[in-house]
Amino acid sequence: MWGILRQKVGGATCLSPQGVGSHMLRLRPVTSALRNYSSAAKEMTVRDALNSALDEEMAADPNVFVMGEEVGEYQGAYKITKGLLDKYGPERVVDTPITEAGFAGIGVGSAYHGLRPVIEFMTFNFSMQAIDHIINSAAKSNYMSAGQINVPIVFRGPNGPAAGVGAQHSQCYAAWYGSVPGLKVLVPYSSEDARGLLKAAIRDPDPVVFLENELLYGESFPVSAEALDSSFCLPIGKAKIEREGKDITITAFSKMVGYALKAAEILKKEGISAEVINLRSIRPLDRATINVSVRKTNRLLTVEEGFPQHGVGAEICASVVEDSFGYLDAPVERIAGADVPTPYAANLERMAFPQIEDIVRAAKRACYRSGTMVATA
Amino acid sequence: MAIWMRKALISTAVRSLRTAFASHRNPVFISRSFGSSQQLEPFSTDDDYDDHDHESLDFPGGPVSYSCEMRFLPGSSEKRVQCYRVLDDNGYPLSSTQFQHVNKEVAVKMYSGMVTLEAMDTVIYEAQRQGRISFYMTSYGEEAINLGSAAALSSHDIVLPQYREPGVMLWRGFELQDFVNQFFGNKNDIGKGRQMPTHYGSNKHNVITVSAPLATQLPQAVGAAYSLKMDKKDACVVTYFGDGCSSEGDFHASLNFAAVMEVPIVYICRNNGWAISTPVTEQFRSDGIVVKGQAYGIPSIRVDGNDALAVYNAVAAAREMAITEQRPVLIEALTYRVGHHSTSDDSTKYRPVDEIEHWKTSRNPVSVFRKWVQRRGWWSDEQESEFRANIRKQVIHAVQVAEKTEKAPIGYMFSDVYEKLPSNLMEQEKLLRETIKRYPQDFPKDVALGI
């Protein structure tokens, strides 16, 4: 591990000799390199998972650099880039003035010319100020240039609601970005997802939109020894069955995976065995895994925090109807956020997003176990 | 005939001498030599070689005179643009300054507004730390900008704030209880529980609701000003923004449009040195924002943002100019963000504590103005302690009342998405109420079902 890391840094040509030297001196062993294969499961927060993934990819490839507001001196608005400035210097951890459109465009330009930028949006709500660059400059460039310009860029940051942050800080962009050909859209849930998918995203030659979740940053998950290895990578476009079941398929992504798993526990006590699928990837969507599951359970419930119309659930429902219509024993249940801009007042906010109880009730409806045939909000 | 020949001769002479001295590239020398040629008519065929003073390129926007000297405009001038101030650090008027006095009523209202803002910030910040509200942003250090500017405006002027200008709403009569209701998102909140703390607005007070994404208020302000212009009202639009905000693309669009459309708008930039942890030296390399206003063809001034009277005077003058001349004006107020960016920030992590202390004590806008007001005999130490104790009690009381008030009712979740409640939302609301009734154990007890 040591040897490989050293070699890669030493081979860097874009750093000045001084830079390489100081980097060699500053090179600390990546934490994963020293974690040995013990039997006890290690726990890691999503924040540390993202941080270690960035660290390892930056160490492995000198073309990778991070850019965004507060990523350097401040250690990151949510501390995801903590320690990176000290380790890699201001040339590779770039603090920007406040202009999303500006630094997104600059990132794309640098990718055109061979660098591998990781652009951080303080929240994807602010990515809307840069969305023209994400779609028209990044997503479509490879196609429009007949393969001459590719854009190996990663746009990452927190997506969806946090807690008490109101309409302009709570929107989920999975459906928007998921509809654009040319982009890849990833939605990690656990720490293992965060590490594997971020590494895959950085190594991928295509532009990737990486949607994280602020409330998951502090959550701890067990990580396997394999996941801690610096060469660890998850395939893009493959969903994960988090929990096997036989009565109903529940698809979810990001924070909702946790909710779906808790709902599955409650449903088990009522005799319903739910299979929970962690999508991991919105585009490409793992239609195969979802359909295989529905063909087994015959019932489908989709869960997301975003707005209902034209949402991720709508796409999944259409996919299942197209591929597995004959296998459905009940109408598809779609759970999404309320069709309103997110209110701030705590009680209203709570009712604007899916709660575990909503998932349980919908699952029971799909299994013909609830007292009423009418769908409720 | 003779004149013709003379002209021809001189033109040859002009050309040969020019060629001879071309290498010297000394425009003074060349033009001096041909001083006599000024008496002759300019030769239409010799446009390239004419040095007549009034000879220039006729370009859209006005004539552009030529220069033989290749001179790059420097990126910044040696001396920074000066800063207008009225009071010195001890609250004494600088005798040479031209300024307009404020009367006792205005001065006391300004000062008490500044103290109220401080008190509200202190109590509410503590409340957030105690977990009673989710978020807050203080305005420490910028009280003079808040109240000095607000006092110079009329109630008809439309204000588009950024988020650190609650003093403007205070001046216009927005009550403490209204502020605090908004922080708690209760049923009395004028904002119907929709917005995060400090994201207020009030039609009644002509303050457009705060929008979080930075700089979006700037082009919006120009649009509003355009509408005012069409209505020919005796009012202008005033929009606030910070130093960091000026990096956004919308800042460029806004200033450019305001100048081209010739709208009555006053831009007030609170250059407080920091954008979260980004200092101005990393935000831009120009001499602040005042030169940017000029770059767009907008008359601009730099003022001491910690001097309430300077701010007042500059805003009053700018407003007058904007309305009578129907044009944009820009004010850059230099100040310091004494507090953290918000309750999610700890600024001691990225800036020296003694820097914060320095601005908090020796350059405090509230104490400077207090000295001036007291010297005029309009305020006293007694009034000071009485007022401070009183206002703190008022804020705390407002917090207690707001906390006990029921949260925003369910109806507020669905209303105002559109002008009229659409059928799908009516349905959702009905179903939600039914669900709550049927499964009360799944919902918190403080869900207000009213409205």
Side-chain angles (χ1 to χ4, degrees), chain A residues 147-180:
Chain A
Q148 293 174 93
I149 309 178
N150 78 313
V151 191
I153 193 170
V154 176
F155 297 102
R156 49 157 294 274
N159 173 60
V165 288
Q168 292 170 325
H169 291 81
S170 305
Q171 194 168 332
C172 173
Y173 292 87
W176 280 29
Y177 290 122
S179 70
V180 180

Short mmCIF file of all heavy atoms in Angstrom, two decimals, chain A residues 147-180:
data_model
loop_
_atom_site.label_atom_id
_atom_site.label_comp_id
_atom_site.label_asym_id
_atom_site.label_seq_id
_atom_site.Cartn_x
_atom_site.Cartn_y
_atom_site.Cartn_z
N GLY A 147 -16.96 12.95 -29.11
CA GLY A 147 -15.99 12.19 -28.31
C GLY A 147 -14.65 12.86 -28.14
O GLY A 147 -13.75 12.31 -27.50
N GLN A 148 -14.49 14.08 -28.67
CA GLN A 148 -13.18 14.72 -28.56
C GLN A 148 -12.95 15.41 -27.23
O GLN A 148 -11.82 15.58 -26.79
CB GLN A 148 -13.02 15.75 -29.69
CG GLN A 148 -12.97 15.09 -31.05
CD GLN A 148 -12.97 16.14 -32.13
OE1 GLN A 148 -11.92 16.56 -32.60
NE2 GLN A 148 -14.14 16.58 -32.53
N ILE A 149 -14.05 15.86 -26.64
CA ILE A 149 -13.91 16.51 -25.33
C ILE A 149 -14.70 15.69 -24.32
O ILE A 149 -15.91 15.61 -24.41
CB ILE A 149 -14.52 17.92 -25.31
CG1 ILE A 149 -14.01 18.76 -26.47
CG2 ILE A 149 -14.22 18.60 -23.99
CD1 ILE A 149 -14.66 20.14 -26.48
N ASN A 150 -14.00 15.06 -23.38
CA ASN A 150 -14.78 14.43 -22.34
C ASN A 150 -14.58 15.20 -21.03
O ASN A 150 -13.61 15.94 -20.88
CB ASN A 150 -14.44 12.93 -22.21
CG ASN A 150 -13.15 12.71 -21.45
OD1 ASN A 150 -12.16 13.37 -21.72
ND2 ASN A 150 -13.18 11.80 -20.49
N VAL A 151 -15.53 15.04 -20.13
CA VAL A 151 -15.56 15.88 -18.93
C VAL A 151 -15.59 15.00 -17.68
O VAL A 151 -16.64 14.72 -17.15
CB VAL A 151 -16.81 16.79 -18.97
CG1 VAL A 151 -16.73 17.86 -17.90
CG2 VAL A 151 -16.96 17.44 -20.34
N PRO A 152 -14.43 14.58 -17.22
CA PRO A 152 -14.38 13.70 -16.04
C PRO A 152 -14.54 14.52 -14.75
O PRO A 152 -13.63 14.62 -13.95
CB PRO A 152 -12.99 13.07 -16.14
CG PRO A 152 -12.17 14.10 -16.81
CD PRO A 152 -13.07 14.83 -17.77
N ILE A 153 -15.70 15.09 -14.58
CA ILE A 153 -15.92 16.00 -13.45
C ILE A 153 -16.91 15.38 -12.47
O ILE A 153 -17.75 14.59 -12.86
CB ILE A 153 -16.45 17.36 -13.98
CG1 ILE A 153 -16.39 18.44 -12.90
CG2 ILE A 153 -17.86 17.23 -14.52
CD1 ILE A 153 -16.66 19.84 -13.45
N VAL A 154 -16.78 15.72 -11.20
CA VAL A 154 -17.75 15.29 -10.19
C VAL A 154 -18.32 16.54 -9.54
O VAL A 154 -17.58 17.39 -9.07
CB VAL A 154 -17.10 14.41 -9.11
CG1 VAL A 154 -18.12 14.04 -8.02
CG2 VAL A 154 -16.53 13.14 -9.72
N PHE A 155 -19.64 16.64 -9.53
CA PHE A 155 -20.32 17.71 -8.80
C PHE A 155 -20.90 17.05 -7.55
O PHE A 155 -21.72 16.14 -7.67
CB PHE A 155 -21.47 18.31 -9.62
CG PHE A 155 -21.04 18.97 -10.89
CD1 PHE A 155 -21.19 18.33 -12.12
CD2 PHE A 155 -20.48 20.25 -10.88
CE1 PHE A 155 -20.80 18.95 -13.30
CE2 PHE A 155 -20.09 20.88 -12.06
CZ PHE A 155 -20.26 20.23 -13.27
N ARG A 156 -20.49 17.48 -6.39
CA ARG A 156 -21.01 16.84 -5.18
C ARG A 156 -21.45 17.87 -4.15
O ARG A 156 -21.04 19.03 -4.20
CB ARG A 156 -19.97 15.89 -4.57
CG ARG A 156 -18.57 16.44 -4.36
CD ARG A 156 -17.84 15.65 -3.28
NE ARG A 156 -18.48 15.85 -2.00
CZ ARG A 156 -18.21 16.86 -1.17
NH1 ARG A 156 -17.29 17.73 -1.47
NH2 ARG A 156 -18.87 16.97 -0.02
N GLY A 157 -22.26 17.38 -3.21
CA GLY A 157 -22.73 18.27 -2.16
C GLY A 157 -24.01 17.70 -1.55
O GLY A 157 -24.54 16.71 -2.03
N PRO A 158 -24.49 18.33 -0.45
CA PRO A 158 -25.73 17.84 0.16
C PRO A 158 -26.94 18.16 -0.70
O PRO A 158 -27.02 19.22 -1.31
CB PRO A 158 -25.78 18.57 1.51
CG PRO A 158 -24.79 19.65 1.45
CD PRO A 158 -23.88 19.43 0.29
N ASN A 159 -27.87 17.22 -0.72
CA ASN A 159 -29.07 17.32 -1.55
C ASN A 159 -30.28 17.06 -0.67
O ASN A 159 -30.18 16.38 0.34
CB ASN A 159 -28.97 16.27 -2.66
CG ASN A 159 -30.25 16.18 -3.48
OD1 ASN A 159 -30.68 17.15 -4.09
ND2 ASN A 159 -30.85 15.00 -3.49
N GLY A 160 -31.43 17.60 -1.06
CA GLY A 160 -32.64 17.28 -0.33
C GLY A 160 -32.73 18.03 1.00
O GLY A 160 -31.92 18.88 1.29
N PRO A 161 -33.76 17.70 1.79
CA PRO A 161 -34.00 18.45 3.02
C PRO A 161 -33.00 18.12 4.12
O PRO A 161 -32.45 17.03 4.16
CB PRO A 161 -35.40 18.01 3.43
CG PRO A 161 -35.55 16.65 2.86
CD PRO A 161 -34.74 16.62 1.61
N ALA A 162 -32.79 19.09 4.99
CA ALA A 162 -32.02 18.85 6.21
C ALA A 162 -33.03 18.94 7.35
O ALA A 162 -33.94 18.14 7.41
CB ALA A 162 -30.90 19.84 6.35
N ALA A 163 -32.91 19.97 8.18
CA ALA A 163 -33.92 20.13 9.23
C ALA A 163 -34.13 21.61 9.48
O ALA A 163 -33.25 22.30 9.94
CB ALA A 163 -33.46 19.44 10.51
N GLY A 164 -35.33 22.08 9.17
CA GLY A 164 -35.65 23.47 9.46
C GLY A 164 -34.89 24.46 8.62
O GLY A 164 -34.42 25.47 9.12
N VAL A 165 -34.74 24.17 7.34
CA VAL A 165 -34.01 25.11 6.50
C VAL A 165 -34.85 25.72 5.38
O VAL A 165 -34.34 26.45 4.54
CB VAL A 165 -32.73 24.47 5.91
CG1 VAL A 165 -31.68 24.28 6.99
CG2 VAL A 165 -33.03 23.14 5.25
N GLY A 166 -36.12 25.42 5.34
CA GLY A 166 -37.01 26.13 4.43
C GLY A 166 -36.90 25.75 2.97
O GLY A 166 -36.12 24.90 2.55
N ALA A 167 -37.72 26.45 2.17
CA ALA A 167 -37.91 26.06 0.78
C ALA A 167 -36.67 26.08 -0.10
O ALA A 167 -36.48 25.21 -0.94
CB ALA A 167 -38.98 26.97 0.16
N GLN A 168 -35.80 27.09 0.09
CA GLN A 168 -34.68 27.22 -0.83
C GLN A 168 -33.47 26.41 -0.42
O GLN A 168 -32.42 26.48 -1.06
CB GLN A 168 -34.30 28.69 -0.97
CG GLN A 168 -35.37 29.47 -1.70
CD GLN A 168 -35.13 30.96 -1.63
OE1 GLN A 168 -34.63 31.47 -0.64
NE2 GLN A 168 -35.47 31.66 -2.68
N HIS A 169 -33.58 25.63 0.65
CA HIS A 169 -32.46 24.79 1.06
C HIS A 169 -32.87 23.33 1.15
O HIS A 169 -32.15 22.54 1.73
CB HIS A 169 -31.95 25.22 2.44
CG HIS A 169 -31.29 26.57 2.46
ND1 HIS A 169 -31.99 27.73 2.52
CD2 HIS A 169 -29.99 26.91 2.44
CE1 HIS A 169 -31.15 28.76 2.53
NE2 HIS A 169 -29.94 28.29 2.49
N SER A 170 -34.04 22.97 0.64
CA SER A 170 -34.54 21.62 0.91
C SER A 170 -34.91 20.79 -0.30
O SER A 170 -35.37 19.67 -0.15
CB SER A 170 -35.79 21.71 1.81
OG SER A 170 -35.51 22.42 2.99
N GLN A 171 -34.73 21.30 -1.49
CA GLN A 171 -35.23 20.56 -2.64
C GLN A 171 -34.32 19.39 -2.99
O GLN A 171 -33.10 19.46 -2.81
CB GLN A 171 -35.34 21.51 -3.83
CG GLN A 171 -36.15 20.95 -4.98
CD GLN A 171 -36.49 22.02 -6.02
OE1 GLN A 171 -36.61 23.20 -5.69
NE2 GLN A 171 -36.63 21.61 -7.26
N CYS A 172 -34.95 18.31 -3.50
CA CYS A 172 -34.17 17.15 -3.93
C CYS A 172 -34.03 17.22 -5.44
O CYS A 172 -35.01 17.41 -6.16
CB CYS A 172 -34.87 15.85 -3.54
SG CYS A 172 -34.06 14.39 -4.21
N TYR A 173 -32.82 17.04 -5.95
CA TYR A 173 -32.57 17.21 -7.38
C TYR A 173 -32.34 15.90 -8.12
O TYR A 173 -31.94 15.91 -9.28
CB TYR A 173 -31.38 18.17 -7.58
CG TYR A 173 -31.77 19.56 -7.15
CD1 TYR A 173 -31.63 19.96 -5.82
CD2 TYR A 173 -32.36 20.44 -8.04
CE1 TYR A 173 -32.07 21.20 -5.40
CE2 TYR A 173 -32.79 21.68 -7.63
CZ TYR A 173 -32.65 22.06 -6.31
OH TYR A 173 -33.10 23.28 -5.90
N ALA A 174 -32.63 14.79 -7.46
CA ALA A 174 -32.37 13.49 -8.09
C ALA A 174 -33.13 13.36 -9.41
O ALA A 174 -32.57 12.91 -10.41
CB ALA A 174 -32.75 12.37 -7.14
N ALA A 175 -34.41 13.74 -9.41
CA ALA A 175 -35.21 13.57 -10.62
C ALA A 175 -34.74 14.50 -11.74
O ALA A 175 -34.68 14.11 -12.90
CB ALA A 175 -36.68 13.83 -10.30
N TRP A 176 -34.41 15.74 -11.39
CA TRP A 176 -33.97 16.69 -12.41
C TRP A 176 -32.72 16.20 -13.11
O TRP A 176 -32.66 16.08 -14.34
CB TRP A 176 -33.63 18.03 -11.74
CG TRP A 176 -34.77 18.91 -11.42
CD1 TRP A 176 -36.05 18.54 -11.12
CD2 TRP A 176 -34.73 20.33 -11.33
NE1 TRP A 176 -36.80 19.66 -10.84
CE2 TRP A 176 -36.01 20.76 -10.96
CE3 TRP A 176 -33.71 21.27 -11.52
CZ2 TRP A 176 -36.31 22.11 -10.77
CZ3 TRP A 176 -34.02 22.60 -11.33
CH2 TRP A 176 -35.32 23.00 -10.97
N TYR A 177 -31.65 15.92 -12.34
CA TYR A 177 -30.40 15.50 -12.95
C TYR A 177 -30.52 14.11 -13.54
O TYR A 177 -29.89 13.77 -14.53
CB TYR A 177 -29.25 15.56 -11.92
CG TYR A 177 -28.87 16.98 -11.55
CD1 TYR A 177 -28.92 17.42 -10.24
CD2 TYR A 177 -28.47 17.88 -12.53
CE1 TYR A 177 -28.58 18.72 -9.90
CE2 TYR A 177 -28.12 19.18 -12.20
CZ TYR A 177 -28.19 19.60 -10.90
OH TYR A 177 -27.85 20.89 -10.57
N GLY A 178 -31.40 13.29 -12.92
CA GLY A 178 -31.57 11.93 -13.41
C GLY A 178 -32.19 11.85 -14.79
O GLY A 178 -32.12 10.81 -15.43
N SER A 179 -32.76 12.95 -15.25
CA SER A 179 -33.40 12.89 -16.56
C SER A 179 -32.46 13.30 -17.70
O SER A 179 -32.85 13.26 -18.86
CB SER A 179 -34.64 13.79 -16.57
OG SER A 179 -34.25 15.13 -16.54
N VAL A 180 -31.23 13.65 -17.38
CA VAL A 180 -30.34 14.21 -18.42
C VAL A 180 -29.37 13.18 -18.98
O VAL A 180 -28.52 12.67 -18.24
CB VAL A 180 -29.54 15.39 -17.85
CG1 VAL A 180 -28.62 15.98 -18.93
CG2 VAL A 180 -30.46 16.45 -17.32
#
